[in-house]
Amino acid sequence: MSIGIVAAMKIHVLGSAAGGGFPQWNCNCRNCAGVRSGKVRTRPRTQSSIAVSDGSDNWVLFNASPDLLTQIKSFPGAQPGRALRDTGIAGIVLVDGQIDHTTGLLMLREGKPLDIWCTDMVAEDLTRGNPLFKVLEHFCTVRHQRIEVAPPVPFIVPAVPGLRFTAIPLVSKAPPYSPHRHDPQLGDNIGVLIESLATGRRVFYAPGFGQMEAHLDSLLRDSDCVLLDGTFWTDDEMIQLGISTQTARAIGHLPQSGAGGMIELLSGYERPRKILIHINNTNPILDEDSTERAALTAAGIELAFDGMEIDL
Ligand code: MLT
Ligand code: MN
Ligand code: ZN
């Protein structure tokens, strides 16, 4: 019997890299080559996902990355082993319909019906543009739990009753295969406010934070911890490397440096512990000896890493 005090909220970072992971399979940028050879002081990272619990054995999975099976193997909390077939994943929340946040759903096909909380926009993309939900109908099946964003309606995942979730709509981009890729809709991307009902402590999780918006001010001001988009250091990072023609902002990611960037934005908020997640393999902050990483540290901003635990 346990009579100890359980944490009111636990966050386990399953994956901290952006799409492609780190190193990315086909990439020979300075970081990817450096992590392979050991010449850059850094650590490998799998694709963006966190698990959150109210201190019990049950976890809410935020996003299902292509690396999900590896992540589950490295996180005992996801596999409590209470029955012949069992999982600690009691519900899944999707913040968008991107490949790096959804492909792992297919890896859960041997289990029970998947309770998936997502907006109608994301459900539509996963039924039409990239029909994972339809494929899963032939296996475990999906129970779509609607997330309301207009206006946001808080929700509870029944097996994790100590936490309350509120989806916050974010201006960003639907995935390339979305029927409305060029016609952004409310609900294409969300951040999620996670609150402990026991303590009132608040976390704002937004790996796709594309730009500052008026309704995000109070979330940044009043949260105890924020986990925000760490994809790119500069707006033209991919252009400079010759691997894309699009800026960070154009694909829905606020870069860290420069005027109006993430560092400047976060300098205006005192309360939260500030953590970046969803870091692209090209981002110089991955090199622990870089000047960019030093600038981040000087600004009081941390970098998420796989296996990071946050107790609140
Ligand atoms: C993004 O968030 O923009 C994605 O990581 C892109 C991708 O998955 O390739
Ligand atoms: Mn992504
Ligand atoms: Zn790379």
Side-chain angles (χ1 to χ4, degrees), residues 17-19 48 96 98-101 207 231 253 278:
S48 165
D96 60 38
Q98 296 269 9
I99 296 264
D100 60 336
H101 284 157
T231 313
H253 299 291
H278 188 279

Side-chain angles (χ1 to χ4, degrees), residues 8-225:
M9 191 191 311
K10 271 184 179 292
I11 298 173
H12 183 97
V13 175
L14 290 164
S16 49
F22 179 51
Q24 179 174 306
W25 66 282
N26 64 347
C27 190
N28 296 299
C29 73
R30 183 180 179 278
N31 284 339
C32 288
V35 69
R36 280 192 205 99
S37 67
K39 289 187 179 145
V40 169
R41 198 160 68 88
T42 182
R43 43 169 115 195
R45 285 171 166 86
T46 61
Q47 292 166 82
S48 165
S49 175
I50 63 171
V52 183
S53 93
D54 57 4
S56 72
D57 273 355
N58 293 323
W59 295 80
V60 180
L61 181 68
F62 280 76
N63 302 318
S65 101
D67 303 313
L68 183 58
L69 293 186
T70 308
Q71 294 168 343
I72 288 175
K73 276 186 203 139
S74 64
F75 175 43
Q79 187 40 274
R82 299 161 294 198
L84 179 61
R85 293 282 166 89
D86 189 26
T87 176
I89 299 168
I92 301 165
V93 177
L94 302 177
V95 301
D96 60 38
Q98 296 269 9
I99 296 264
D100 60 336
H101 284 157
T102 59
T103 316
L105 293 173
L106 291 175
M107 302 304 121
L108 302 178
R109 70 190 182 282
E110 297 89 357
K112 294 197 174 132
L114 299 175
D115 284 305
I116 300 180
W117 277 260
C118 66
T119 63
D120 283 349
M121 282 301 145
V122 169
E124 184 187 299
D125 285 349
L126 297 181
T127 307
R128 291 170 61 206
N130 177 16
L132 295 179
F133 282 8
K134 282 170 111 167
V135 173
L136 286 167
E137 281 312 309
H138 300 278
F139 299 93
C140 56
T141 73
V142 169
R143 293 193 292 234
H144 173 211
Q145 313 287 343
R146 288 182 75 192
I147 289 184
E148 304 278 357
V149 285
V153 178
F155 61 95
I156 303 269
V157 173
V160 187
L163 301 178
R164 179 172 61 202
F165 307 95
T166 310
I168 311 297
L170 301 176
V171 172
S172 192
K173 270 296 195 58
Y177 40 82
S178 170
H180 58 274
R181 164 78 165 175
H182 301 291
D183 174 26
Q185 302 288 320
L186 202 66
D188 283 338
N189 299 77
I190 57 168
V192 183
L193 169 66
I194 311 167
E195 294 171 282
S196 161
L197 295 175
T199 63
R201 303 210 86 189
R202 298 152 62 97
V203 172
F204 181 50
Y205 172 63
F209 190 111
Q211 63 183 66
M212 185 53 185
E213 302 174 63
H215 71 285
L216 304 177
D217 179 60
S218 61
L219 289 151
L220 297 176
R221 199 179 51 235
D222 301 336
S223 291
D224 298 291
C225 177

